[in-house]
Amino acid sequence: METEVLIIGGGPAGLTAAFEMASRGLEVTIIDESFSLGGQLCQQTQLIRALPSAYQPMAGFKLANKLTEQLKDFSVRYLLGHRVIGLYADGSIGVTDEKDVFPVKAKKILVATGAAENAISFPKWTLPGVITIGAAQTLVNRDFVMPGKEALIVGSSDFALDVAYQLMEVGVNIKGIIEKSAVVNARDKEKVNQVEKKGIPFYFNSYVKEAKGNGEVEAIDIQLQNGILTETVDLVCIDGSRSPILDSFYQLGCSFGYQEVLGGWIPQYNKHFQTDQKNVFLAGNAAGISNHAALLLTGMISGISICEELKVLNRDAFKELTLSYWRELENLENKDAWQARIRHIEKFSAPLLKDQFIS
Amino acid sequence: MLDKTTIICRCEEISYEEIEEVIDQGARTFDDVKRLTRCGMGPCQAKICTNLVANIIHEQTGRPLHKIPLPRMRMPLSPIKLETLTTDSTSFSAVKSVLDEVELEDGKVR
Ligand SMILES: Cc1cc2nc3c(=O)[nH]c(=O)nc-3n(C[C@H](O)[C@H](O)[C@H](O)COP(=O)(O)OP(=O)(O)OC[C@H]3O[C@@H](n4cnc5c(N)ncnc54)[C@H](O)[C@@H]3O)c2cc1C
Ligand code: FES
């Protein structure tokens, strides 16, 4: 199979990039291992306020619909239920539909594979009932399954508080939120108020000492500053933060740098979201963990960069758009993430990890 | 937070103690730990244990996280049935990195 542009990942970043390119007439193929588009947005029911100017505030799953809908007037090819599993020696992408493996040859490749949740280990963390907050959100909002009745949340990011609230709404009793630092991690004070109003206790300077149970989690020992508190629970939701999914970049021979704020190792890229493999671009959480506005804007920036390279956008218009998207990114992305991104881009020509396959 | 029996690689059931032991013996990267313990060789292909192991190496040796390289991420990126892989065997043989660590010369490992 051949295509002008192959986008790996049909989440918000891949979809906004697709819009920039398909609306300018490029032949775009989107591959996603899931059977629906929208990526991890599909199970997000919370209102997303900060979005690029082209979008109104809306719930995550509605944004997923909108981003999918706006492609409908253009000829985009979808390979849903397809996985990228490797790379052929001639540079074609190895794709499987679970029956066959076949090569897809593309002039440009845009990797928007998103992020994976990190684990936190403690004694018996592998007991059933201990899951990530993202898994809890997926079970409740996508599969309509109650993962438990009595729960503890580990971590207090905006994401963790959103999920705590979403669990409460379906009747899960949240017994507390455990936070290892001295303050709430979430930036959105409204979210903190919302949870506090429900009378949910925060345990600061605290961590899970161990999980207890036979065959499933039955209780958690919380190590507080001044002793141990044991809570009986059948659900523990862990927020260990997220890291970019890098396997496709690795296969493609991209270099990597390290920015803790952006999730650790990330592919090296320039201000056009182009990697050091000239035909490979990237967007979204794969380019560093950030907020929703940044997911969309990085998709838009990489999308127009490919448009310029494939000559469907003239240089002046491209320069102007790049500037305005970057300005929006600076305004909407959290300051520490934005600064880390700038530092990362400055290191483009001096990556920490390169030539992984040759070394 | 961890005791010696805490599982670090849940797919292969490798404990904290086993990871600690190979770090004592000189393991400094995820792939070092993998070669010595099977950590990372389970069905998730190290997607869950990579960062946990990096953190342990960091804590035990003081080596900063940005000096602990990523593990090799090899083809196939996620588990796939052999049957599926071999269906289209002519193009399969050209997939890069299947055996990239072993280069053959005159039928022998170089
Ligand atoms: C379960 C879960 C819940 C989340 N909930 C929240 C939340 O409530 N709030 C928040 O701010 N953030 C949340 N996040 C973070 C999430 O990463 C972002 O909200 C956002 O969806 C990232 O957009 P993206 O386009 O970069 O990637 P994604 O939305 O993750 O899209 C990437 C897509 O790439 C596909 N893909 C990856 N690798 C391959 C491959 N090899 N072959 C084929 N397809 C592939 C995936 O199937 C996926 O659809 C959540 C993450 C997870 C995992
Ligand atoms: S947790 Fe180590 S291989 Fe899956």
Side-chain angles (χ1 to χ4, degrees):
Chain A
M1 184 184 289
E2 290 197 11
T3 179
E4 276 186 305
V5 185
L6 177 70
I7 301 181
I8 309 175
L15 291 174
T16 36
F19 183 67
E20 296 288 343
M21 296 188 279
S23 66
R24 291 189 175 87
L26 288 179
E27 183 201 3
V28 175
T29 303
I30 302 181
I31 171 167
D32 201 300
E33 60 192 339
S34 154
F35 283 92
S36 51
L37 293 164
Q40 303 299 348
L41 264 189
C42 297
Q43 74 274 353
Q44 297 182 30
T45 51
Q46 76 277 10
L47 179 72
I48 301 166
R49 281 195 207 87
L51 287 175
S53 55
Y55 302 90
Q56 300 294 317
M58 63 184 107
F61 68 97
K62 288 192 178 148
L63 181 60
N65 288 341
K66 161 133 189 111
L67 296 174
T68 308
E69 280 288 299
Q70 71 183 9
L71 289 175
K72 119 176 155 288
D73 296 334
F74 309 106
S75 64
V76 176
R77 190 195 288 146
Y78 298 101
L79 297 177
L80 298 180
H82 285 61
R83 283 188 287 151
V84 168
I85 57 153
L87 195 75
Y88 289 91
D90 72 350
S92 305
I93 303 288
V95 168
T96 180
D97 56 4
E98 310 306 331
K99 278 196 228 73
D100 266 314
V101 179
F102 60 91
V104 176
K105 199 160 185 55
K107 286 188 190 145
K108 304 284 172 196
I109 297 159
L110 196 152
V111 186
T113 44
E117 299 184 271
N118 295 325
I120 297 179
S121 55
F122 45 79
K124 290 198 164 184
W125 67 286
T126 50
L127 278 174
V130 181
I131 62 179
T132 63
I133 41 168
Q137 187 186 48
T138 307
L139 285 169
V140 169
N141 294 340
R142 190 194 68 188
D143 305 333
F144 307 120
V145 169
M146 280 255 282
K149 293 197 180 78
E150 308 282 329
L152 278 169
I153 309 282
V154 182
S156 67
S157 65
D158 291 277
F159 181 20
L161 297 193
D162 275 332
V163 175
Y165 197 77
Q166 289 158 21
L167 286 167
M168 265 188 285
E169 282 191 314
V170 297
V172 178
N173 179 27
I174 309 285
K175 293 192 130 178
I177 296 174
I178 304 169
E179 171 54 54
K180 64 177 183 303
S181 67
V183 288
V184 184
N185 229 319
R187 291 161 199 274
D188 189 338
K189 293 296 159 252
E190 229 173 90
K191 281 179 189 159
V192 184
N193 286 339
Q194 211 178 20
V195 170
E196 274 175 342
K197 249 192 249 152
K198 295 267 182 183
I200 294 169
F202 281 90
Y203 299 111
F204 294 112
N205 300 306
S206 304
Y207 59 87
V208 178
K209 183 160 181 294
E210 79 175 284
K212 291 174 168 166
N214 203 346
E216 59 189 326
V217 64
E218 288 161 14
I220 290 289
D221 280 351
I222 309 170
Q223 179 71 58
L224 307 171
Q225 236 173 342
N226 50 2
I228 288 172
L229 173 70
T230 305
E231 283 284 9
T232 4
V233 291
D234 59 357
L235 176 65
V236 184
C237 306
I238 309 275
D239 174 14
S241 78
R242 280 146 282 149
S243 298
I245 295 174
L246 302 174
D247 44 15
S248 300
F249 296 103
Y250 198 99
Q251 284 283 317
L252 286 159
C254 298
S255 302
F256 299 92
Y258 196 93
Q259 294 292 337
E260 196 187 340
V261 180
L262 296 176
W265 288 108
I266 36 177
Q268 212 68 58
Y269 54 87
N270 63 22
K271 70 174 200 255
H272 303 299
F273 289 82
Q274 180 180 35
T275 70
D276 58 350
Q277 300 293 319
K278 282 196 160 3
N279 293 325
V280 180
F281 293 71
L282 79 174
N285 271 346
I289 310 301
S290 190
N291 61 10
H292 291 91
L295 300 174
L296 303 197
L297 284 162
T298 55
M300 290 152 78
I301 297 170
S302 59
I304 57 169
S305 305
I306 293 178
C307 287
E308 200 268 335
E309 289 219 348
L310 293 180
K311 309 234 174 329
V312 292
L313 182 62
N314 75 51
R315 218 158 154 94
D316 288 343
F318 164 65
K319 277 190 179 158
E320 207 173 289
L321 270 178
T322 303
L323 250 176
S324 86
Y325 289 167
W326 263 102
R327 219 174 280 133
E328 268 201 273
L329 186 60
E330 180 173 8
N331 286 334
L332 293 171
E333 187 161 49
N334 297 323
K335 209 166 189 68
D336 50 353
W338 194 77
Q339 285 167 345
R341 204 185 282 286
I342 299 299
R343 277 198 304 277
H344 185 63
I345 288 174
E346 280 166 0
K347 294 196 174 144
F348 182 64
S349 51
L352 288 172
L353 285 182
K354 61 174 177 187
D355 300 333
Q356 297 292 294
F357 271 106
I358 300 162
S359 64
Chain B
M1 274 187 245
L2 302 161
D3 74 5
K4 292 207 179 292
T5 61
T6 302
I7 298 289
I8 299 301
C9 175
R10 63 188 303 163
C11 297
E12 292 290 327
E13 292 201 6
I14 311 292
S15 69
Y16 181 75
E17 187 174 24
E18 287 165 271
I19 311 270
E20 200 180 30
E21 207 175 282
V22 297
I23 295 173
D24 272 351
Q25 291 164 8
R28 290 296 176 270
T29 68
F30 184 87
D31 285 340
D32 291 345
V33 173
K34 172 174 165 177
R35 289 183 185 110
L36 293 164
T37 66
R38 286 196 62 81
C39 173
M41 294 166 84
C44 87
Q45 288 292 286
K47 288 180 178 69
I48 301 172
C49 52
T50 298
N51 285 339
L52 294 175
V53 170
N55 285 332
I56 299 172
I57 297 173
H58 166 65
E59 279 159 21
Q60 299 273 313
T61 66
R63 186 179 279 234
L65 287 167
H66 69 264
K67 292 248 169 76
I68 303 170
L70 289 163
R72 269 176 190 272
M73 287 170 234
R74 312 174 76 194
M75 144 56 216
L77 294 179
S78 42
I80 180 169
K81 281 193 219 143
L82 272 177
E83 192 189 337
T84 309
L85 264 183
T86 49
T87 317
D88 189 5
S89 58
T90 48
S91 36
F92 163 58
S93 63
V95 174
K96 172 179 159 182
S97 79
V98 182
L99 281 173
D100 71 296
E101 278 171 90
V102 186
E103 284 181 36
L104 294 178
E105 208 171 68
D106 299 329
K108 287 198 187 109
V109 177
R110 194 157 62 178

